[in-house]
Amino acid sequence: QVQLVESGGGLVQAGGSLRLSCAASGLTFSSYNMGWFRQAPGKEREFVSSITWGGGQTYYTDSVKGRFTISRDNAKNTVYLQMNNLAPEDTAVYYCAAKRFGHSSYDYWGQGTQVTVSS
């Protein structure tokens, strides 16, 4: 079955950095656009960033532009989210998701990894 497993979350001070990874299995990774989402306590899940199947196009929500970088390694079936200059408002559970090329919504989701930024 399809599995998306996030890792790399943790506790960091404001201004610090973390790199999230999402390892995919059970799917043809290079056929999927990949995305990162986050959900803070008491808030709805929100889009953070996405990358197309070949890595040629990336998208970011405005609040993370210039601080976060999404990338992927299709040989390793892994997508990454490099997060720099973290702020307390970035505290959330971060989820990766996979959307098959041509689909309008995400098909698979990971279990999430907690990111906590202290001030």
Side-chain angles (χ1 to χ4, degrees), residues 8 11-19 67 82-86:
L11 173 64
V12 64
Q13 289 188 329
S17 298
L18 285 173
R19 187 195 196 200
R67 301 189 298 125
Q82 177 67 44
M83 305 186 296
N84 296 330
N85 194 21
L86 284 160

Side-chain angles (χ1 to χ4, degrees), residues 27-109:
L27 51 72
T28 304
F29 186 71
S30 58
S31 296
Y32 286 78
N33 297 334
M34 299 298 295
W36 285 97
F37 293 76
R38 65 187 180 186
Q39 187 167 21
K43 295 187 177 181
E44 292 188 352
R45 186 170 57 193
E46 66 170 347
F47 169 81
V48 175
S49 180
S50 66
I51 187 167
T52 51
W53 59 273
Q57 290 181 301
T58 58
Y59 305 91
Y60 300 91
T61 191
D62 285 346
S63 63
V64 309
K65 285 179 181 177
R67 301 189 298 125
F68 291 10
T69 303
I70 191 170
S71 61
R72 66 188 295 161
D73 185 338
N74 284 352
K76 295 183 178 180
N77 286 3
T78 301
V79 62
Y80 305 96
L81 186 68
Q82 177 67 44
M83 305 186 296
N84 296 330
N85 194 21
L86 284 160
E89 51 266 36
D90 295 315
T91 295
V93 177
Y94 283 71
Y95 300 89
C96 74
K99 180 169 63 175
R100 187 170 177 81
F101 180 75
H103 285 195
S104 58
S105 59
Y106 283 84
D107 301 284
Y108 303 104
W109 294 82

